[in-house]
C-alpha cells in the first residue's frame, strides 16, 4: 500500500467519523457500496475523480479539504503508474 493511499484512506475515515457517520450511512448518503468505502479507507483502491467529487458533495466539504483529497489521490495514481512494468507483446 502506498503512503499516499494510507494517507488518503486515513483522511477519508477521519472526515467520515468527524461527521458521525458509519460506513453504511455514508454508503446510503453517497450511493457508494460499503465495500468501496472500506477499500478506500484501507488504502486498497484509489478513488476516481468522480468518486471524490461525490464524497465532497455528500459531506459538503470546503474547497481546501476537497482539494487535499484530490491532491493525495493524484499523487497516488501518478506514483502507481510509474511503478507499473511495461509489458511488451511477444511477436511470433
Amino acid at each position: 500500500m502506498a503512503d499516499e493511499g494510507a494517507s488518503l484512506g486515513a483522511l477519508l475515515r477521519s472526515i467520515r467519523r468527524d461527521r458521525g457517520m458509519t460506513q453504511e450511512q455514508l454508503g446510503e448518503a453517497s450511493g457508494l457500496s460499503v465495500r468501496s468505502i472500506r477499500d478506500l479507507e484501507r488504502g486498497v483502491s484509489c478513488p476516481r475523480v468522480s468518486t471524490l467529487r461525490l464524497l465532497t458533495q455528500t459531506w459538503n466539504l470546503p474547497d481546501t479539504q476537497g482539494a487535499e483529497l484530490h491532491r493525495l489521490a493524484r499523487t497516488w495514481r501518478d506514483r502507481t503508474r510509474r511503478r507499473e512494468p511495461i509489458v511488451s507483446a511477444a511477436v511470433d
Side-chain angles (χ1 to χ4, degrees):
M1 171 171 47
D3 290 338
E4 291 80 13
S7 298
L8 178 60
L11 181 55
L12 291 169
R13 181 180 296 114
S14 174
I15 293 168
R16 177 181 56 78
R17 288 180 175 170
D18 286 347
R19 283 165 171 63
M21 298 178 88
T22 64
Q23 290 177 338
E24 291 78 10
Q25 290 169 329
L26 177 57
E28 288 176 24
S30 67
L32 296 172
S33 71
V34 173
R35 181 179 182 147
S36 292
I37 294 165
R38 186 177 306 126
D39 286 349
L40 292 172
E41 289 185 358
R42 289 178 33 225
V44 172
S45 64
C46 186
R48 296 177 177 175
V49 171
S50 59
T51 301
L52 290 175
R53 273 193 218 119
L54 182 63
L55 290 172
T56 57
Q57 290 170 353
T58 299
W59 287 324
N60 196 26
L61 293 179
D63 291 341
T64 54
Q65 209 166 16
E68 179 64 7
L69 289 175
H70 284 275
R71 184 193 67 76
L72 286 169
R74 186 173 41 254
T75 302
W76 184 11
R77 280 190 297 273
D78 290 347
R79 286 199 180 174
T80 301
R81 285 183 187 134
R82 281 187 292 216
R83 284 189 224 151
E84 290 177 359
I86 298 173
V87 179
S88 59
V91 178
D92 291 329

